[in-house]
Amino acid sequence: MRSMAAAITDSPTASQSLHRFVNASPWEWQPVRDELRRWVAARTRPKAWTVGIAVVPKRGDQSCGVHRRFVPDLGRTINCQVGMGQFLATGRSQVPVDWRLHLPSEWSEDRLRRRTRIPEAVQPLPAWAQMLDLADALAADGSPALPLVADLRDCAEPDRLLHGLRHRGHDFALTVPGTLPVLPSVTAHPCGSGMDPAVSPVSARRFLETEGELLRSVIGTSHLHPSRPTRVVTGLIRLPRGPQPQRFYRLFAEVPREGERPTTAWLTTLVHLSMEELLELASLPGTTPRALRRLEGSFGFQDFEGRSYPGWHRHVTLVSAACCYQELSDIDPTGLAGTVSAAPLLRAPRQAAGLRV
């Protein structure tokens, strides 16, 4: 706040006013994000939306949603906030347009909720339910229907997210655990009365190894690497439980070398797409960490000094708007006609490595 204020005025109270605008003023952030999402979609051709998990280290325990969490990238357990971001994947870039703040179960306590001004309607939710909430927000504002592309291998209860997305009519291409139970597509009861009870589910990994079709020399195209030939094993499956009538999904994975086991398994509703198109979608989550690092390094995502739930949401909304504007300026400055030209990014002096308050 101090760096931003100093860039535009000599007033000694400007930084305090900016801080109050974020932390204490009453403006609603969700309508701003809905408009931001429409604004980006109108100026780009997003192919999908992805999910980014942002971990914000915290030294104390006063900030909304702060909890102890093991962070694999750091190799240790820290105090932190965790935000789940919705990114629109537009060609070679991803831009943030919506957020959810993860609230652990202990944040159901009235004392903590009053102190950090958590709205009564907001309750702790598991990650899969927050992803559904982001998907519903995307559909509710009239944005183009886009598939969710994300990695669910570390997500608890991934089958609940899969059924929730399909029940709502949201398409997806998701990395799933190799242990996910699936049924071959030919297991329907011959009388049309549903699934054959004599057929037992198998794991996604076993299905690909024993019943998948091996496709050779598929051209895989990603946003980080040029086109390259690859082997893919794939097949149509159903899920053991879910809405009736049962529906088909495509399960697929790359096979590194002849005779080796398939790698990461993907599950998608987009059975009509070519394997080349599916591999391109599957590459999108690989660019999400880079988008998160840009938010942290260039736009101050981790630098919010307030502790309230509304303040956090307003902060990440403004950070997202700044990032989207800069990203679109880099892609096509002529597409921002009628707006002020993009100024150089304002960067506060970097703090020494360590946890932020």
Side-chain angles (χ1 to χ4, degrees):
M1 290 298 175
R2 288 190 295 271
S3 297
M4 292 175 64
I8 58 175
T9 179
D10 294 330
S11 170
T13 61
S15 61
Q16 182 180 1
S17 297
L18 283 174
H19 181 79
R20 290 185 60 83
F21 175 70
V22 173
N23 200 49
S25 58
W27 59 277
E28 298 181 15
W29 55 86
Q30 196 59 53
V32 178
R33 294 180 193 169
D34 294 342
E35 183 60 28
L36 178 63
R37 191 189 298 110
R38 289 189 289 267
W39 189 79
V40 172
R43 288 164 173 78
T44 64
R45 293 182 179 178
K47 298 180 179 181
W49 66 278
T50 64
V51 173
I53 304 299
V55 177
V56 182
K58 291 291 180 179
R59 184 165 293 158
D61 60 359
Q62 301 298 305
S63 297
C64 183
V66 72
H67 62 286
R68 299 284 293 173
R69 186 186 188 93
F70 178 77
V71 181
D73 289 345
L74 299 177
R76 58 193 177 100
T77 299
I78 63 171
N79 261 21
C80 61
Q81 291 173 310
V82 175
M84 178 181 291
Q86 181 186 77
F87 291 74
L88 292 186
T90 61
R92 291 182 172 273
S93 64
Q94 294 194 33
V95 290
V97 293
D98 205 357
W99 292 90
R100 297 295 182 268
L101 178 63
H102 175 61
L103 297 177
S105 57
E106 59 265 30
W107 283 87
S108 298
E109 186 180 335
D110 288 341
R111 176 183 59 85
L112 296 175
R113 297 173 65 87
R114 286 194 301 269
R115 190 188 72 205
T116 54
R117 293 186 284 148
I118 301 175
E120 185 177 344
V122 176
Q123 297 296 326
L125 293 173
W128 66 265
Q130 289 189 309
M131 288 190 199
L132 278 181
D133 192 34
L134 287 169
D136 291 342
L138 182 67
D141 72 352
S143 297
L146 297 172
L148 165 62
V149 183
D151 189 338
L152 297 191
R153 284 174 294 180
D154 295 328
C155 178
E157 301 179 288
D159 57 324
R160 300 191 67 173
L161 175 61
L162 297 174
H163 290 302
L165 289 169
R166 196 61 199 254
H167 180 72
R168 289 162 166 78
H170 300 311
D171 284 319
F172 57 78
L174 301 170
T175 306
V176 294
T179 55
L180 181 76
V182 302
L183 288 167
S185 62
V186 294
T187 58
H189 194 281
C191 298
S193 58
M195 304 306 295
D196 186 344
V199 178
S200 300
V202 298
S203 70
R205 182 184 298 109
R206 181 167 178 79
F207 172 83
L208 289 172
E209 291 175 353
T210 60
E211 302 191 44
E213 177 187 3
L214 181 63
L215 307 178
R216 300 174 185 273
S217 299
V218 176
I219 303 300
T221 303
S222 76
H223 300 279
L224 298 176
H225 304 287
S227 300
R228 56 181 175 83
T230 186
R231 295 182 180 88
V232 174
V233 61
T234 183
L236 294 179
I237 59 95
R238 300 172 188 265
L239 295 178
R241 66 179 183 87
Q244 296 292 336
Q246 285 286 322
R247 301 182 181 184
F248 292 107
Y249 302 81
R250 179 171 294 283
L251 188 67
F252 66 96
E254 290 189 72
V255 181
R257 294 180 182 86
E258 189 75 35
E260 291 190 359
R261 289 186 170 187
T263 57
T264 304
W266 287 82
L267 185 69
T268 182
T269 56
L270 303 169
V271 295
H272 60 287
L273 293 186
S274 69
M275 190 52 61
E276 287 80 5
E277 292 172 306
L278 289 175
L279 289 176
E280 184 176 2
L281 282 177
S283 72
L284 292 176
T287 64
T288 308
R290 183 174 58 184
L292 285 169
R293 288 193 297 270
R294 190 179 186 202
L295 282 176
E296 296 168 0
S298 298
F299 296 94
F301 181 88
Q302 294 189 340
D303 298 334
F304 177 56
E305 297 176 355
R307 296 172 175 174
S308 72
Y309 180 91
W312 185 90
H313 275 281
R314 295 190 187 106
H315 171 73
V316 298
T317 299
L318 295 175
V319 165
S320 298
C323 180
C324 289
Y325 184 80
Q326 186 70 41
E327 191 72 39
L328 268 62
S329 297
D330 292 343
I331 295 172
D332 181 15
T334 63
L336 302 177
T339 61
V340 179
S341 59
L345 295 178
L346 298 172
R347 291 184 172 86
R350 299 303 297 166
Q351 300 177 3
L355 301 183
R356 295 180 175 83
V357 176

